[in-house]
Amino acid sequence: MALNPFFQQGSSGEQSLVQSLINEQLKMYGVDVHYMPRKYLTEKSILKEVVQSKFDDAYPLEAYIDNFDGYGDNPTMLSKFGIQATNEVTLIISRERFETYISPLMKNEENIKLSTRPKEGDLIYFPLGDRLFEIKYVEHEKPFYQLKENYVYELRCELFRYEDEVIDTGVDEIDDTLEGIEGADGEEILIGSGGTQKLTLVGTAAQATASIGIINGGIQQIFLTNRGKGFTFAPRVAISSAPAGGLTGIATSKLLSGIAIEGNISDSKKSVVQFIDLVNPGFGYTSNPVVSVIGDGAGVAATSKIENGVVGIVTITSGGSGYTTSPTITFTGLSTVSAAATAVVSAAGTISAIHIRNAGVGYTVTPTISIASPGSSGSGNYSFNETITGGTSGATARIRTWDATTNELEIYNITGTFRSGETITGSSSGASHLIRLIDLTNFDDGFGENDEFELQADAILDFSENNPFGMP
């Protein structure tokens, strides 16, 4: 042997002592982090590109922050793709602690590529900033073989950018980082949309209520004598002012498209006025007020009629919830002509307004107004990150956010296509609601599918149409 035989150059006892001292130092001066191994669900067979992965385990572990003076030199970068946070952190963990504590737990898990050491692509939850960092490089030979052994792993990490991964560890402070991270200025920076979709659901059924009064000299009804044509948006309705001491009425219009006008079917983008309803009949009129319709179309003519003992403005006392269509409005009370009205249903499934089509005539006692109950209902509140399934389509997705007030559900990791009117059920919460509206605005923005790149590339080389180099 070339080495001096009288010196051990590192015995197992010395190596154990150094490892124990390092473990103790990490427990004294480190921070508690969570190690989250990546599970590979789907890969491209040729380039081994990860198409789908998930993180559903989180193992607590102590780590020393090597870059004690802050994150990397480029915390925020502005590019044509938006604002990107590129914070970096270097963490040092005990080799022995990882191999004796975390590795055995990972060994029997499916879809984990490597369990014997920390792996690039795995995540670290950093509690001091409430952030997720992705391991970009694992240095396992630093310090370099002191006493013929290595004792730590140096993890060089970069702020994690979410791209459709499933994060469901069961640890609330980790899972909620999927919604956003806080930037240096205190504002939330979205980790990523990753193909999110917004659904507006039917809320839990609750009957709406309203109150009314009766007035004299109010507008009973507005009659259309000519619907006009050529409207692309609902025109404004102007009503002449009431005399001093009275209140001027307010009305709104509704359009109708696809009907025959002068022998031709109206363009779907060019509509006629279908109704003019009263928002407020006003009061104190002594003669029928003049009605004018102002918009981008032409030819509308309308007249009004005033009466005594008509229903006044309808005040919503409770908007209810769970409405999918306009409910029946009923007025109960003695009158010469009974009042009639229509309800406006908001996107959230509540009654946002009631417009009067006929304010009635001859009421001497205030009638009662009743709004029909919603025909269907939902129940329960969805849990963050749980899986939902469409009852008809069988489509599945994960929940990103759920607002029980507006009944808006934001989902990601979507498989299949959800359908309006079907029931979606939460796997863990058991919540069940009908889909009222599906918003596709931000679901496919063109960039995720590289549509713009493909379009521009076709102008250079496009093999799909013909051979740009000519046919042989």
Side-chain angles (χ1 to χ4, degrees):
M1 295 180 60
L3 294 177
N4 191 327
F6 298 103
F7 291 87
Q8 295 181 342
Q9 301 293 333
S11 65
S12 60
E14 290 174 325
Q15 293 170 351
S16 297
L17 175 61
V18 173
Q19 183 71 71
S20 296
L21 289 173
I22 290 174
N23 293 350
E24 186 68 21
Q25 293 293 308
L26 289 173
K27 289 182 176 291
M28 291 171 61
Y29 302 111
V31 296
D32 285 324
V33 300
H34 281 78
Y35 184 86
M36 301 165 56
R38 182 185 293 267
K39 295 183 178 179
Y40 298 82
L41 303 183
T42 308
E43 285 184 287
K44 293 289 187 181
S45 58
I46 298 177
L47 299 178
K48 299 299 182 183
E49 179 185 4
V50 180
V51 177
Q52 187 179 20
S53 58
K54 71 175 179 178
F55 301 89
D56 59 1
D57 290 319
Y59 305 110
L61 185 68
E62 62 278 0
Y64 178 76
I65 307 173
D66 193 40
N67 49 333
F68 59 88
D69 54 346
Y71 294 115
D73 296 333
N74 300 311
T76 304
M77 179 172 62
L78 178 62
S79 71
K80 62 183 178 180
F81 298 107
I83 298 176
Q84 302 179 26
T86 59
N87 296 147
E88 298 175 354
V89 66
T90 301
L91 302 174
I92 297 174
I93 65 172
S94 166
R95 187 187 191 102
E96 181 186 67
R97 286 278 292 158
F98 187 91
E99 293 175 351
T100 60
Y101 168 51
I102 295 180
S103 288
L105 298 176
M106 294 170 51
K107 183 172 60 176
N108 297 323
E109 292 281 351
E110 295 181 356
N111 302 316
I112 291 181
K113 297 292 185 181
L114 182 65
S115 62
T116 56
R117 70 167 181 84
K119 180 174 78 281
E120 289 81 356
D122 292 350
L123 300 186
I124 297 291
Y125 172 67
F126 187 61
L128 299 184
D130 190 25
R131 296 180 175 185
L132 290 173
F133 284 85
E134 182 176 359
I135 300 174
K136 292 298 184 180
Y137 181 73
V138 178
E139 175 60 72
H140 59 281
E141 294 181 321
K142 184 179 178 181
F144 192 69
Y145 292 100
Q146 292 182 343
L147 298 176
K148 297 183 179 180
E149 187 60 270
N150 294 314
Y151 308 97
V152 297
Y153 291 113
E154 182 180 282
L155 311 180
R156 300 174 190 174
C157 308
E158 186 178 286
L159 191 64
F160 174 59
R161 296 185 63 80
Y162 171 69
E163 296 179 353
D164 281 344
E165 293 88 350
V166 175
I167 299 178
D168 188 12
T169 64
V171 182
D172 291 341
E173 57 266 29
I174 297 177
D175 294 343
D176 65 14
T177 59
L178 181 65
E179 297 190 46
I181 57 175
E182 190 175 278
D185 57 358
E187 295 184 358
E188 187 179 65
I189 303 174
L190 196 62
I191 289 178
S193 60
T196 63
Q197 190 173 34
K198 184 172 289 185
L199 308 177
T200 302
L201 309 182
V202 178
T204 303
Q207 187 172 4
T209 58
S211 63
I212 55 174
I214 55 174
I215 53 177
N216 293 323
I219 303 172
Q220 178 205 353
Q221 190 174 1
I222 294 178
F223 304 91
L224 273 171
T225 56
N226 192 325
R227 292 182 174 185
K229 61 180 179 179
F231 291 95
T232 58
F233 58 88
R236 181 171 65 90
V237 180
I239 301 175
S240 59
S241 301
L247 179 67
T248 302
I250 302 173
T252 184
S253 65
K254 181 179 180 181
L255 296 182
L256 177 67
S257 60
I259 66 170
I261 300 177
E262 297 177 353
N264 297 315
I265 299 297
S266 174
D267 186 340
S268 61
K269 296 183 179 180
K270 301 287 186 177
S271 305
V272 301
V273 177
Q274 182 182 20
F275 296 113
I276 295 181
D277 291 333
L278 293 164
V279 177
N280 187 340
F283 62 83
Y285 284 101
T286 55
S287 61
N288 296 332
V290 177
V291 178
S292 301
V293 179
I294 305 166
D296 61 347
V300 177
T303 60
S304 67
K305 179 184 178 184
I306 62 169
E307 291 285 355
N308 292 327
V310 302
V311 169
I313 186 172
V314 180
T315 303
I316 304 292
T317 55
S318 173
S321 61
Y323 289 95
T324 57
T325 58
S326 181
T328 301
I329 308 296
T330 305
F331 295 88
T332 304
L334 295 175
S335 64
T336 306
V337 176
S338 182
T342 60
V344 178
V345 180
S346 70
T350 63
I351 303 302
S352 57
I354 292 180
H355 295 160
I356 301 171
R357 187 144 298 167
N358 187 327
V361 180
Y363 286 103
T364 56
V365 177
T366 303
T368 58
I369 179 174
S370 60
I371 305 170
S373 300
S376 59
S377 67
S379 62
N381 289 313
Y382 296 102
S383 301
F384 173 75
N385 219 22
E386 73 170 323
T387 300
I388 58 171
T389 304
T392 303
S393 64
T396 61
R398 290 267 181 168
I399 293 179
R400 185 169 183 175
T401 60
W402 162 242
D403 190 329
T405 302
T406 61
N407 297 317
E408 290 183 341
L409 185 71
E410 189 174 5
I411 58 177
Y412 74 104
N413 198 43
I414 303 163
T415 302
T417 304
F418 290 98
R419 302 174 185 172
S420 296
E422 73 172 331
T423 300
I424 54 175
T425 305
S427 60
S428 59
S429 67
S432 179
H433 294 264
L434 289 173
I435 299 178
R436 174 175 167 77
L437 297 171
I438 299 177
D439 184 8
L440 298 175
T441 304
N442 297 317
F443 182 54
D444 181 4
D445 59 7
F447 294 102
E449 299 294 336
N450 298 315
D451 293 344
E452 184 63 23
F453 291 102
E454 181 181 4
L455 179 64
Q456 297 300 326
D458 286 347
I460 304 172
L461 291 177
D462 185 6
F463 288 91
S464 63
E465 299 296 333
N466 52 52
N467 188 339
F469 302 107
M471 298 302 293

